[in-house]
């Protein structure tokens, strides 16, 4: 199975900050890497697919990059609605696996 | 507009079975893969498997093989997840999610989640 390791597991930030979350795969996955945002009590929502493509309707302050084994999600100017948990997921091979999540909290 | 509406919360005893349904609307049901993902309380996301609604072919994570069954009824655009021999650590929110036209596509729509509680 491909292990997905996210870091950090949590972070505290202020509105307006720039935030970067990383996701590392235990083996190469090309660009079969997607990012989701989840708020408490809600289903996840896709932000980015295939490593760097922004899902329709997602604000441009979100961006992502990477290929192979190392990936990043960046929020350039953190907004109040961005406080949530972020997960990466690989769909290169089954079982499709998620990272452990990064909880972005208000400082 | 795509909607996935799941059945309501369930409370079951250990060893019982449960079936969760997910009704899709707003698109051609057979054109997109369906995934099931679960989330234990306070934990991360765990992929359980997918079903190709057109063919009925399934792919389960090895952990769930033998006690999970994913099916669909194309006449009513509904996917089902059956869990057998439930244990207390199966207590979780179970999400259905629409994948893409290929099994390696991302998920773009999610159901609201169904809480399954397993307790004696």
């Amino acid at each position: 199975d491909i292990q997905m390791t996210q870091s950090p597991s949590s972070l505290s930030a202020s509105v307006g900050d720039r935030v970067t979350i990383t996701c590392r795969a235990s083996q190469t996955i090309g660009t079969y890497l997607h990012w989701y945002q989840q708020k408490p009590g809600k289903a996840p929502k896709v932000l980015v697919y295939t490593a760097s493509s922004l899902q329709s309707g997602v604000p441009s302050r979100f961006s992502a990059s990477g290929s192979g084994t190392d990936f990043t999600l960046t929020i350039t100017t953190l907004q109040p609605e961005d406080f949530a948990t972020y997960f990466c997921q690989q769909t290169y091979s089954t079982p499709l696996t998620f990272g452990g999540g990064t909880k972005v909290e208000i400082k | 507009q795509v909607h996935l509406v799941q059945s309501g919360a369930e409370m079951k005893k250990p060893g019982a079975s449960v079936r969760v349904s997910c009704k899709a609307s707003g698109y051609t049901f057979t054109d997109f893969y369906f995934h099931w993902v679960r989330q234990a309380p306070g934990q991360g996301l765990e992929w359980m498997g997918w079903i190709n609604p057109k063919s009925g072919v399934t792919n389960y994570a090895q952990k769930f093989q033998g006690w999970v069954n994913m099916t669909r009824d194309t006449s009513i655009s509904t996917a089902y997840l059956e869990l057998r021999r439930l244990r207390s650590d199966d207590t979780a929110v179970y999400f259905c999610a629409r994948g893409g036209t290929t099994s390696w596509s991302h998920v773009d729509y999610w159901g609201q989640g169904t809480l399954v509680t397993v307790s004696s």
Side-chain angles (χ1 to χ4, degrees), chain B residues 30-42:
Chain B
T30 51
D31 283 353
F32 295 83
Y33 280 74
F34 241 88
H35 299 258
W36 289 93
V37 174
R38 76 176 184 178
Q39 186 169 38

Side-chain angles (χ1 to χ4, degrees), chain A residues 32 36 38 43-44 49 91 95-96, chain B residues 39 45 47 104 106-107 110-111:
Chain A
Y32 291 96
Y36 300 90
Q38 187 181 32
Y49 59 95
T91 57
L96 308 184
Chain B
Q39 186 169 38
L45 301 169
W47 180 80
W104 54 87
H106 64 288
V107 165
W110 297 71

Side-chain angles (χ1 to χ4, degrees), chain B residues 10-11 15-16 18 22 25 34-35 43 49 54 56 60-62 66 69-70 74 78 80 84 113-114 120:
Chain B
E10 301 267 8
M11 183 164 288
V18 69
C22 177
S25 62
F34 241 88
H35 299 258
Q43 302 301 308
K54 181 175 290 185
Y60 303 141
Q62 186 171 15
N69 193 33
M70 296 178 190
T74 58
T78 300
Y80 299 96
R84 301 185 285 266
T114 296
S120 55

Side-chain angles (χ1 to χ4, degrees), chain A residues 11-21 36-40 45-47 54 57-63 73-87 102-107:
Chain A
L11 64 91
S12 294
S14 301
V15 172
D17 283 354
R18 177 186 181 95
V19 167
T20 298
I21 299 167
Y36 300 90
Q37 176 194 66
Q38 187 181 32
K39 296 183 179 179
K45 164 190 164 184
V46 64
L47 297 176
L54 208 62
V58 173
S60 59
R61 62 180 179 272
F62 290 92
S63 64
L73 173 71
T74 299
I75 311 171
T76 51
T77 309
L78 201 63
Q79 296 299 301
E81 60 268 30
D82 301 336
F83 292 96
T85 301
Y86 295 83
F87 295 94
T102 297
K103 186 173 184 179
V104 177
E105 298 176 300
I106 301 173
K107 183 182 285 184

Side-chain angles (χ1 to χ4, degrees), chain B residues 22-24 29 72-80:
Chain B
C22 177
K23 182 167 178 61
F29 179 70
R72 89 289 187 226
D73 185 335
T74 58
S75 69
I76 55 172
S77 300
T78 300
Y80 299 96

